[in-house]
Amino acid sequence: MNNGISVYCGLNCSIDENIVLIETAASIGLKRLFTSAIIPEAETDNLEFVTILACAIENDMEIILDVTPETISTFDFEQITLRLDDGFTALQIAALSHIHRIMLNASTVTEKLLLSLIETKANFENISALHNFYPHVYTGLDVQFFKSQNNILQSFGIPVGAFVASQDGRRRPPFEEGLPTVEVTRNMSVEYTARYLAALDTDFIIISDSLPTSEECSSLTNIAPHEAIIKARLLTDDANVINLLKQKFYSRLEQSSQVIRAANSRTLLNSMNIVIKSDNNPQPRQKGYITVDNADFGRYMGEIQIVKCDLPADPRVNVAAQILESEFPILNCISPKQNFSFIFI
């Protein structure tokens, strides 16, 4: 997952601070640098801008430059990807896609535009997409709209990125109220938001604010695209069960209203050559419990389920862990055949 940071010239960070941020981000594996040529408040210094771009190139980062039809210009740097804001026609986009890597505005793109790009023979190998961020509070995207836009783009083979707001670093002026893509994440931690957006089928994530902390940058390094990574508390000391729960799973294609079923957990159990014994203390199952079917369930032994509503105790089912209530929004993102895994605290 090629995640990244943002740098804005002429705002509230010095050139030295921006260079340190770029070098720090690159050193921990972040691969992208977003910047913009369309910030009205910025007092842009061309020398500073060129210095920042050169630093990103030296650190092997892809530069994403936000442009409009009025501000677009030709750059000599091969590493620059043009993120096209609104106003470009399908013909213009198609032509640019043959000479540049480009990113569409994922927040406003339509299926009609994407079909037009096929008709105009755009080079889809050079096309990805990146959502807007929203400085004005309460104007960020609705969760379902965000997921719908991702799904439309990905159905055309276009990967999609989104922005997360810094909480502990320096926020970008003029409002300094965060720059999220999805409104409900405006005041959520970078670590939580990144896991949430990944579960909503996001391919890459960029911290949008001016100067995130090193901890916030580091929190992006373990995020996997399209995977729901959920924090939970262990309720068992059975080493075999714990070992099984530390694997990666994907949900079954068919959905139940009561539980989320791992499609591959029984296969994983067989490969581990272990037996899940009954814990002899069957418990009622609450929403958010993670359960493992034990040997008394015969061929279902090893099936992992996440409980979606309260269910009665069953001696064939061991209660193994409990998902934190704060993680329920991520839990609710799990769709058929989606990857998921657990972090135990």
Side-chain angles (χ1 to χ4, degrees), residues 5-232:
I5 55 167
S6 301
V7 165
Y8 309 100
C9 297
L11 287 177
N12 61 335
C13 295
S14 69
I15 187 170
D16 289 340
E17 287 175 319
N18 285 333
I19 288 173
V20 169
L21 173 61
I22 293 169
E23 291 175 342
T24 299
S27 70
I28 60 174
L30 299 185
K31 299 294 186 182
R32 286 181 161 130
L33 172 74
F34 173 82
T35 191
S36 178
I38 51 174
I39 304 175
E41 301 86 18
E43 298 178 2
T44 305
D45 182 313
N46 286 336
L47 178 59
E48 180 180 354
F49 192 68
V50 170
T51 301
I52 291 301
L53 297 186
C55 181
I57 291 168
E58 288 173 6
N59 284 277
D60 198 29
M61 298 184 82
E62 177 188 7
I63 299 165
I64 303 167
L65 179 64
D66 202 27
V67 294
T68 65
E70 293 74 32
T71 60
I72 192 170
S73 57
T74 302
F75 292 87
D76 295 330
F77 304 121
E78 291 182 1
Q79 285 87 342
I80 285 184
T81 297
L82 298 176
R83 195 273 187 173
L84 308 181
D85 210 343
D86 293 338
F88 289 89
T89 67
L91 281 173
Q92 289 173 317
I93 294 170
L96 285 168
S97 72
H98 288 279
I99 56 175
H100 282 290
R101 291 190 306 274
I102 63 172
M103 287 186 177
L104 305 177
N105 185 339
S107 299
T108 60
V109 74
T110 63
E111 188 171 3
K112 180 180 178 181
L113 173 63
L114 297 175
L115 291 171
S116 296
L117 292 180
I118 292 175
E119 292 176 2
T120 51
K121 295 181 169 49
N123 180 7
F124 276 73
E125 291 185 1
N126 277 345
I127 297 177
S128 54
L130 178 60
H131 280 278
N132 283 336
F133 54 61
Y134 295 89
H136 190 312
V137 293
Y138 309 124
T139 65
L141 298 185
D142 169 79
V143 171
Q144 293 306 315
F145 177 80
F146 172 79
K147 184 172 175 61
S148 174
Q149 289 295 101
N150 286 1
N151 292 344
I152 290 170
L153 285 153
Q154 290 158 353
S155 72
F156 284 79
I158 298 173
V160 188
F163 290 100
V164 301
S166 171
Q167 303 301 318
D168 301 319
R170 187 179 304 166
R171 287 183 158 184
R172 204 197 79 174
F175 306 116
E176 299 180 355
E177 294 181 276
L179 303 172
T181 289
V182 176
E183 183 61 38
V184 296
T185 70
R186 186 176 296 274
N187 296 308
M188 294 178 178
S189 72
V190 169
E191 187 271 342
Y192 183 92
T193 302
R195 289 189 292 113
Y196 186 36
L197 297 187
L200 289 167
D201 292 328
T202 307
D203 294 283
F204 62 94
I205 293 165
I206 295 175
I207 302 176
S208 49
D209 277 299
S210 297
L211 200 65
T213 66
S214 57
E215 291 80 10
E216 288 178 321
C217 291
S218 296
S219 69
L220 295 186
T221 59
N222 295 318
I223 303 298
H226 308 280
E227 181 178 339
I229 303 173
I230 305 169
K231 290 184 177 179

Side-chain angles (χ1 to χ4, degrees), residues 129-337:
L130 178 60
H131 280 278
N132 283 336
F133 54 61
Y134 295 89
H136 190 312
V137 293
Y138 309 124
T139 65
L141 298 185
D142 169 79
V143 171
Q144 293 306 315
F145 177 80
F146 172 79
K147 184 172 175 61
S148 174
Q149 289 295 101
N150 286 1
N151 292 344
I152 290 170
L153 285 153
Q154 290 158 353
S155 72
F156 284 79
I158 298 173
V160 188
F163 290 100
V164 301
S166 171
Q167 303 301 318
D168 301 319
R170 187 179 304 166
R171 287 183 158 184
R172 204 197 79 174
F175 306 116
E176 299 180 355
E177 294 181 276
L179 303 172
T181 289
V182 176
E183 183 61 38
V184 296
T185 70
R186 186 176 296 274
N187 296 308
M188 294 178 178
S189 72
V190 169
E191 187 271 342
Y192 183 92
T193 302
R195 289 189 292 113
Y196 186 36
L197 297 187
L200 289 167
D201 292 328
T202 307
D203 294 283
F204 62 94
I205 293 165
I206 295 175
I207 302 176
S208 49
D209 277 299
S210 297
L211 200 65
T213 66
S214 57
E215 291 80 10
E216 288 178 321
C217 291
S218 296
S219 69
L220 295 186
T221 59
N222 295 318
I223 303 298
H226 308 280
E227 181 178 339
I229 303 173
I230 305 169
K231 290 184 177 179
R233 183 179 297 106
L234 284 169
L235 299 176
T236 181
D237 57 4
D238 186 318
N240 286 337
V241 171
I242 293 171
N243 193 20
L244 178 61
L245 290 177
K246 289 181 178 179
Q247 310 307 308
K248 290 184 179 291
F249 310 100
Y250 65 93
S251 57
R252 289 178 67 108
L253 178 62
E254 68 267 46
Q255 289 185 296
S256 161
S257 59
Q258 282 80 33
V259 296
I260 296 169
R261 302 175 67 188
N264 59 329
S265 59
R266 283 186 276 164
T267 303
L268 287 169
L269 182 76
N270 289 336
S271 69
M272 296 164 68
N273 196 29
I274 57 178
V275 174
I276 304 298
K277 298 179 180 178
S278 171
D279 62 11
N280 297 316
N281 184 28
Q283 303 176 46
R285 290 163 284 172
Q286 302 175 19
K287 180 180 178 180
Y289 274 13
I290 303 167
T291 66
V292 183
D293 290 354
N294 61 51
D296 293 340
F297 228 137
R299 63 187 178 88
Y300 286 100
M301 183 179 69
E303 173 156 311
I304 288 175
Q305 297 181 354
I306 303 173
V307 179
K308 297 164 69 174
C309 62
D310 290 353
L311 297 173
D314 187 327
R316 301 168 298 177
V317 180
N318 296 355
V319 171
Q322 182 175 21
I323 292 171
L324 306 184
E325 188 171 350
S326 60
E327 299 286 301
F328 283 2
I330 299 177
L331 173 62
N332 293 336
C333 294
I334 297 179
S335 55
K337 299 194 74 174

